[in-house]
Amino acid sequence: MKASNKALLIGVLIGLTACSTSVSKFGVYQQSDGTIGVHAPKDAKENEAQEVALEECKKLGKRTVMILESRKTVNDRFPITYIYACR
């Protein structure tokens, strides 16, 4: 393989690595009724969960979120679930 091809391949691999999304500490999902659920870890604050929900709503073309419900779960990793409506 020529040096220029190796350099191109390395550049592409670096670019793909730089664009990858880091693993989130939140579990985010869209429910069948259109609301967004956020499973929050123990050390998370409510406003952090709201920011995660807002990012998911922006993907759907919405600008704001409104909290509908928060509830405790029996899951040790995600002890609280928040439900948000996209507006």
Side-chain angles (χ1 to χ4, degrees):
M1 188 181 272
K2 292 183 180 180
S4 62
N5 288 343
K6 287 182 182 178
L8 178 63
L9 180 60
I10 291 171
V12 169
L13 291 175
I14 290 172
L16 290 174
T17 303
C19 294
S20 65
T21 304
S22 63
V23 177
S24 175
K25 61 182 180 176
F26 293 92
V28 183
Y29 59 95
Q30 184 175 5
Q31 300 189 119
S32 59
D33 62 359
T35 58
I36 302 296
V38 178
H39 295 306
K42 292 178 184 179
D43 61 343
K45 297 178 182 162
E46 185 179 343
N47 64 339
E48 292 173 321
Q50 184 175 355
E51 290 174 14
V52 171
L54 181 58
E55 288 302 315
E56 191 68 22
C57 287
K58 285 181 179 180
K59 293 178 188 176
L60 302 172
K62 307 295 182 173
R63 294 183 179 179
T64 62
V65 294
M66 180 179 72
I67 190 162
L68 299 176
E69 178 183 1
S70 66
R71 61 177 176 247
K72 293 183 179 185
T73 67
V74 293
N75 187 325
D76 290 338
R77 185 171 173 205
F78 300 110
I80 299 176
T81 296
Y82 298 97
I83 306 297
Y84 293 92
C86 297
R87 303 277 178 201

